Amino acid sequence: MEVKIPNHVAIILDGNGRWATEKGKKRKEGHYAGYKNLKKLSIYALKKGIKYLSVYAFSTENFNRSEEEVNYLMDLFISCFKKDTNFFNKRNVKVVFSGRKKPLRKDILDAMKEISATTKNNTGGVFNICLNYGGQAEIVDASKNIVKDVKNGKLDLNTLDEKTFYKYLYNNLPPIDFMIRTSGELRISNFMLYELSYAELYFPETYFPDFNEKEFDKALIEYTKRDRRFGKIKNAK
Ligand code: IPE
Ligand code: IPE
Ligand code: MG
Protein backbone atom coordinates (compact mmCIF):
# COMPACT_ATOMS: atom_id res chain seq x y z
CA MET A 1 0.00 0.00 0.00
CA GLU A 2 1.36 3.37 -0.99
CA VAL A 3 1.05 5.89 1.82
CA LYS A 4 -0.83 9.08 0.95
CA ILE A 5 0.91 12.27 1.98
CA PRO A 6 -1.49 14.99 3.14
CA ASN A 7 -0.75 18.53 1.99
CA HIS A 8 -1.50 20.12 5.37
CA VAL A 9 -1.16 18.25 8.66
CA ALA A 10 -2.09 19.79 12.00
CA ILE A 11 -1.17 18.48 15.43
CA ILE A 12 -2.61 19.42 18.82
CA LEU A 13 0.44 18.74 20.97
CA ASP A 14 -1.29 17.37 24.04
CA GLY A 15 -0.33 15.28 27.04
CA ASN A 16 3.02 16.78 28.06
CA GLY A 17 1.84 17.32 31.63
CA ARG A 18 0.43 13.81 32.08
CA TRP A 19 3.54 12.29 30.49
CA ALA A 20 5.63 13.99 33.18
CA THR A 21 3.28 13.33 36.10
CA GLU A 22 3.10 9.63 35.32
CA LYS A 23 6.89 9.47 35.41
CA GLY A 24 7.07 11.33 38.73
CA LYS A 25 8.54 14.37 36.97
CA LYS A 26 7.49 18.02 36.96
CA ARG A 27 5.10 19.28 34.25
CA LYS A 28 7.92 21.50 32.97
CA GLU A 29 9.95 18.43 32.13
CA GLY A 30 7.04 17.20 30.07
CA HIS A 31 7.00 20.44 28.09
CA TYR A 32 10.73 20.17 27.48
CA ALA A 33 10.37 16.57 26.32
CA GLY A 34 7.53 17.67 24.06
CA TYR A 35 9.72 20.37 22.52
CA LYS A 36 12.55 17.90 21.83
CA ASN A 37 10.13 15.54 20.16
CA LEU A 38 8.56 18.30 18.08
CA LYS A 39 11.92 19.44 16.76
CA LYS A 40 12.64 15.96 15.37
CA LEU A 41 9.11 15.21 14.25
CA SER A 42 8.62 18.47 12.35
CA ILE A 43 11.63 17.78 10.14
CA TYR A 44 10.56 14.18 9.68
CA ALA A 45 7.08 15.23 8.55
CA LEU A 46 8.25 17.96 6.17
CA LYS A 47 10.90 15.66 4.66
CA LYS A 48 8.14 13.21 3.82
CA GLY A 49 6.65 15.81 1.51
CA ILE A 50 4.02 17.32 3.79
CA LYS A 51 3.99 20.94 2.64
CA TYR A 52 2.36 22.52 5.69
CA LEU A 53 2.65 21.44 9.29
CA SER A 54 0.63 23.39 11.85
CA VAL A 55 1.10 22.76 15.55
CA TYR A 56 -0.85 24.00 18.53
CA ALA A 57 1.79 25.13 21.00
CA PHE A 58 -0.16 27.56 23.20
CA SER A 59 -3.83 28.48 23.12
CA THR A 60 -5.40 31.81 24.10
CA GLU A 61 -6.99 29.81 26.95
CA ASN A 62 -3.61 28.52 28.18
CA PHE A 63 -3.05 31.92 29.80
CA ASN A 64 -5.44 30.63 32.47
CA ARG A 65 -2.74 28.26 33.76
CA SER A 66 -0.49 29.13 36.73
CA GLU A 67 1.88 32.03 36.25
CA GLU A 68 4.78 29.68 36.82
CA GLU A 69 3.76 27.34 33.99
CA VAL A 70 2.97 30.20 31.59
CA ASN A 71 6.32 31.85 32.29
CA TYR A 72 8.16 28.57 31.89
CA LEU A 73 6.52 28.00 28.51
CA MET A 74 7.24 31.54 27.29
CA ASP A 75 10.90 31.23 28.33
CA LEU A 76 11.10 27.84 26.63
CA PHE A 77 9.64 29.29 23.40
CA ILE A 78 12.14 32.16 23.39
CA SER A 79 15.15 29.96 23.99
CA CYS A 80 14.00 27.45 21.35
CA PHE A 81 13.31 30.06 18.67
CA LYS A 82 16.72 31.62 19.26
CA LYS A 83 18.59 28.34 19.43
CA ASP A 84 16.78 26.71 16.52
CA THR A 85 16.75 29.50 13.96
CA ASN A 86 19.81 28.01 12.26
CA PHE A 87 18.50 24.50 12.65
CA PHE A 88 15.34 25.25 10.65
CA ASN A 89 17.07 27.60 8.25
CA LYS A 90 19.68 24.98 7.32
CA ARG A 91 16.90 22.53 6.63
CA ASN A 92 15.15 25.00 4.33
CA VAL A 93 12.04 25.20 6.54
CA LYS A 94 9.92 28.36 6.58
CA VAL A 95 8.69 29.10 10.12
CA VAL A 96 5.51 31.17 10.54
CA PHE A 97 3.28 31.96 13.52
CA SER A 98 -0.46 32.07 13.94
CA GLY A 99 -2.06 33.88 16.84
CA ARG A 100 -2.66 37.23 18.49
CA LYS A 101 0.23 39.39 19.58
CA LYS A 102 -1.49 40.69 22.69
CA PRO A 103 -0.69 39.96 25.55
CA LEU A 104 2.60 38.31 24.54
CA ARG A 105 5.78 39.79 26.02
CA LYS A 106 8.05 41.86 23.81
CA ASP A 107 10.98 39.45 24.14
CA ILE A 108 8.90 36.61 22.77
CA LEU A 109 7.51 38.74 19.93
CA ASP A 110 11.09 39.69 19.04
CA ALA A 111 12.21 36.05 18.99
CA MET A 112 9.22 35.13 16.79
CA LYS A 113 10.00 37.95 14.38
CA GLU A 114 13.64 36.92 14.16
CA ILE A 115 13.04 33.26 13.28
CA SER A 116 10.30 34.06 10.77
CA ALA A 117 12.37 36.79 9.07
CA THR A 118 15.43 34.53 8.79
CA THR A 119 13.48 31.63 7.29
CA LYS A 120 10.98 33.54 5.16
CA ASN A 121 12.40 32.58 1.75
CA ASN A 122 12.81 28.90 2.52
CA THR A 123 11.02 26.46 0.26
CA GLY A 124 11.25 23.10 2.04
CA GLY A 125 7.86 23.28 3.77
CA VAL A 126 6.00 25.62 6.10
CA PHE A 127 6.09 25.03 9.85
CA ASN A 128 3.21 27.00 11.34
CA ILE A 129 3.43 27.44 15.11
CA CYS A 130 0.12 28.42 16.70
CA LEU A 131 1.05 30.46 19.75
CA ASN A 132 -1.47 32.50 21.70
CA TYR A 133 -3.81 31.09 19.10
CA GLY A 134 -7.59 30.70 19.22
CA GLY A 135 -9.73 29.52 16.33
CA GLN A 136 -12.60 31.84 17.19
CA ALA A 137 -10.18 34.74 17.62
CA GLU A 138 -8.76 34.02 14.16
CA ILE A 139 -12.22 34.20 12.58
CA VAL A 140 -13.03 37.40 14.46
CA ASP A 141 -9.71 38.97 13.40
CA ALA A 142 -10.31 37.93 9.78
CA SER A 143 -13.79 39.46 9.86
CA LYS A 144 -12.43 42.75 11.17
CA ASN A 145 -9.88 42.89 8.35
CA ILE A 146 -12.58 42.11 5.82
CA VAL A 147 -14.66 45.04 7.07
CA LYS A 148 -11.57 47.27 6.81
CA ASP A 149 -10.89 46.18 3.23
CA VAL A 150 -14.51 46.67 2.22
CA LYS A 151 -14.47 50.17 3.71
CA ASN A 152 -11.25 51.20 1.97
CA GLY A 153 -12.36 49.72 -1.33
CA LYS A 154 -9.84 46.86 -1.49
CA LEU A 155 -12.55 44.21 -1.35
CA ASP A 156 -15.90 43.95 -3.07
CA LEU A 157 -18.11 42.19 -0.54
CA ASN A 158 -19.97 40.42 -3.35
CA THR A 159 -16.80 38.55 -4.31
CA LEU A 160 -16.18 37.21 -0.80
CA ASP A 161 -16.69 33.46 -0.63
CA GLU A 162 -15.40 30.53 1.45
CA LYS A 163 -12.18 30.33 -0.56
CA THR A 164 -11.29 34.03 -0.44
CA PHE A 165 -11.99 34.03 3.31
CA TYR A 166 -8.78 31.96 3.73
CA LYS A 167 -6.79 34.99 2.58
CA TYR A 168 -7.89 36.79 5.72
CA LEU A 169 -6.84 34.02 8.11
CA TYR A 170 -3.47 34.40 9.85
CA ASN A 171 -1.11 32.98 7.21
CA ASN A 172 -3.38 32.23 4.26
CA LEU A 173 -2.70 28.51 4.72
CA PRO A 174 -4.60 25.85 2.78
CA PRO A 175 -7.33 23.67 4.38
CA ILE A 176 -6.13 21.02 6.82
CA ASP A 177 -6.25 17.47 5.43
CA PHE A 178 -5.30 15.56 8.56
CA MET A 179 -5.54 16.56 12.20
CA ILE A 180 -3.88 14.59 14.98
CA ARG A 181 -4.54 15.19 18.67
CA THR A 182 -2.32 13.16 20.97
CA SER A 183 -3.14 11.96 24.51
CA GLY A 184 -6.61 10.59 23.83
CA GLU A 185 -8.61 13.79 24.37
CA LEU A 186 -11.53 13.89 21.95
CA ARG A 187 -11.99 17.60 21.38
CA ILE A 188 -10.77 20.47 19.22
CA SER A 189 -10.13 23.02 22.02
CA ASN A 190 -10.55 26.05 19.74
CA PHE A 191 -7.97 24.93 17.16
CA MET A 192 -8.18 26.09 13.50
CA LEU A 193 -11.97 25.92 13.33
CA TYR A 194 -12.22 27.25 9.78
CA GLU A 195 -9.32 25.25 8.34
CA LEU A 196 -10.45 21.96 9.92
CA SER A 197 -13.84 21.90 8.24
CA TYR A 198 -13.11 18.80 6.11
CA ALA A 199 -10.06 17.38 7.85
CA GLU A 200 -9.72 13.72 8.74
CA LEU A 201 -9.36 13.44 12.53
CA TYR A 202 -7.09 11.06 14.44
CA PHE A 203 -6.85 10.72 18.22
CA PRO A 204 -3.99 8.46 19.33
CA GLU A 205 -3.71 7.68 23.07
CA THR A 206 0.05 8.42 23.09
CA TYR A 207 1.21 11.50 25.00
CA PHE A 208 2.94 13.97 22.73
CA PRO A 209 6.54 13.45 24.04
CA ASP A 210 6.22 9.79 22.96
CA PHE A 211 4.56 10.51 19.62
CA ASN A 212 7.65 9.66 17.58
CA GLU A 213 8.39 8.96 13.92
CA LYS A 214 6.98 5.44 14.16
CA GLU A 215 3.72 6.75 15.62
CA PHE A 216 3.59 9.38 12.90
CA ASP A 217 3.99 6.70 10.22
CA LYS A 218 1.11 4.78 11.82
CA ALA A 219 -0.98 7.94 11.63
CA LEU A 220 -0.22 8.32 7.92
CA ILE A 221 -1.30 4.74 7.28
CA GLU A 222 -4.57 5.52 9.04
CA TYR A 223 -4.97 8.64 6.88
CA THR A 224 -4.32 6.58 3.74
CA LYS A 225 -7.22 4.28 4.64
CA ARG A 226 -9.71 7.12 5.00
CA ASP A 227 -12.22 7.69 2.22
CA ARG A 228 -12.44 11.44 1.73
CA ARG A 229 -15.74 12.07 0.05
CA PHE A 230 -16.33 15.81 0.46
CA GLY A 231 -20.06 15.24 0.24
CA LYS A 232 -19.92 13.32 -3.02
CA ILE A 233 -21.06 9.76 -3.60
CA LYS A 234 -18.45 7.64 -5.30
CA ASN A 235 -19.17 4.68 -7.56
CA ALA A 236 -22.92 5.15 -7.31
CA LYS A 237 -24.93 2.56 -9.22
C1 IPE B 1 0.17 20.34 25.90
O1 IPE B 1 0.34 19.56 27.04
C2 IPE B 1 1.05 21.54 25.89
C3 IPE B 1 0.34 22.82 26.13
C4 IPE B 1 -0.94 22.99 26.25
C5 IPE B 1 1.20 24.00 26.24
P1 IPE B 1 -0.51 19.84 28.33
O2 IPE B 1 0.24 20.78 29.20
O3 IPE B 1 -1.89 20.25 28.01
O4 IPE B 1 -0.51 18.40 29.00
P2 IPE B 1 -1.69 17.71 29.79
O5 IPE B 1 -2.91 17.77 28.92
O6 IPE B 1 -1.86 18.48 31.07
O7 IPE B 1 -1.21 16.32 30.01
C1 IPE C 1 -4.94 22.48 23.71
O1 IPE C 1 -4.56 21.69 24.80
C2 IPE C 1 -3.94 23.55 23.50
C3 IPE C 1 -2.59 23.12 23.14
C4 IPE C 1 -2.20 21.88 22.95
C5 IPE C 1 -1.64 24.18 22.97
P1 IPE C 1 -5.13 21.93 26.27
O2 IPE C 1 -4.55 20.85 27.11
O3 IPE C 1 -4.89 23.32 26.69
O4 IPE C 1 -6.70 21.74 26.03
P2 IPE C 1 -7.87 21.34 27.03
O5 IPE C 1 -7.81 22.30 28.17
O6 IPE C 1 -7.62 19.94 27.47
O7 IPE C 1 -9.10 21.45 26.20
MG1 MG D 1 -3.64 19.26 27.77
Side-chain angles (χ1 to χ4, degrees):
M1 184 183 57
E2 202 182 317
V3 173
K4 278 191 201 151
I5 300 294
N7 185 51
H8 188 175
V9 173
I11 311 177
I12 301 179
L13 315 168
D14 202 11
N16 292 349
R18 278 163 286 165
W19 179 91
T21 307
E22 285 180 18
K23 288 187 153 45
K25 296 176 192 267
K26 296 201 162 126
R27 288 181 60 84
K28 290 176 186 177
E29 294 176 75
H31 292 313
Y32 190 72
Y35 150 68
K36 295 253 279 207
N37 187 45
L38 179 61
K39 187 169 164 182
K40 266 212 271 179
L41 196 66
S42 58
I43 298 300
Y44 184 72
L46 294 170
K47 272 217 177 121
K48 279 199 170 268
I50 289 160
K51 301 250 172 19
Y52 299 87
L53 177 69
S54 291
V55 297
Y56 207 2
F58 194 90
S59 70
T60 46
E61 290 76 22
N62 287 147
F63 272 111
N64 297 321
R65 295 190 180 191
S66 73
E67 206 181 315
E68 190 193 346
E69 183 160 347
V70 171
N71 282 338
Y72 174 79
L73 283 165
M74 293 302 149
D75 292 344
L76 178 65
F77 292 143
I78 296 176
S79 78
C80 298
F81 300 155
K82 285 191 179 159
K83 204 169 60 187
D84 296 334
T85 299
N86 279 341
F87 175 85
F88 287 109
N89 201 30
K90 263 197 223 146
R91 286 160 183 81
N92 197 23
V93 173
K94 178 174 174 173
V95 179
V96 300
F97 291 93
S98 291
R100 279 189 179 158
K101 286 191 176 147
K102 268 188 196 162
L104 292 174
R105 282 155 30 184
K106 185 175 181 299
D107 52 355
I108 186 158
L109 290 172
D110 288 346
M112 287 158 71
K113 225 195 237 168
E114 173 81 34
I115 188 167
S116 39
T118 308
T119 61
K120 76 173 192 299
N121 295 320
N122 291 345
T123 54
V126 174
F127 183 29
N128 173 40
I129 302 172
C130 299
L131 201 166
N132 191 27
Y133 175 87
Q136 291 188 336
E138 182 176 30
I139 294 170
V140 168
D141 290 348
S143 310
K144 286 183 178 169
N145 285 327
I146 286 168
V147 172
K148 255 191 224 156
D149 275 4
V150 170
K151 276 192 182 156
N152 66 26
K154 278 196 195 144
L155 176 73
D156 172 1
L157 198 51
N158 295 315
T159 65
L160 182 67
D161 58 11
E162 291 87 329
K163 214 169 162 197
T164 42
F165 197 87
Y166 274 95
K167 293 202 178 113
Y168 287 89
L169 297 173
Y170 290 137
N171 284 294
N172 189 15
L173 300 172
I176 293 166
D177 301 291
F178 190 38
M179 197 285 286
I180 302 166
R181 179 174 190 151
T182 55
S183 88
E185 300 295 355
L186 304 179
R187 57 179 168 268
I188 301 294
S189 301
N190 201 13
F191 187 47
M192 303 190 95
L193 301 175
Y194 195 87
E195 300 88 333
L196 280 174
S197 56
Y198 244 109
E200 293 298 326
L201 309 178
Y202 179 61
F203 297 98
E205 293 288 329
T206 320
Y207 295 142
F208 184 70
D210 290 332
F211 192 77
N212 56 18
E213 285 105 329
K214 220 170 126 198
E215 293 281 329
F216 192 78
D217 283 343
K218 263 187 359 204
L220 288 181
I221 290 170
E222 172 65 27
Y223 174 77
T224 304
K225 290 184 196 155
R226 301 281 176 94
D227 179 15
R228 304 192 74 194
R229 290 195 287 271
F230 298 99
K232 287 180 229 161
I233 294 168
K234 280 187 198 156
N235 308 322
K237 287 200 179 131

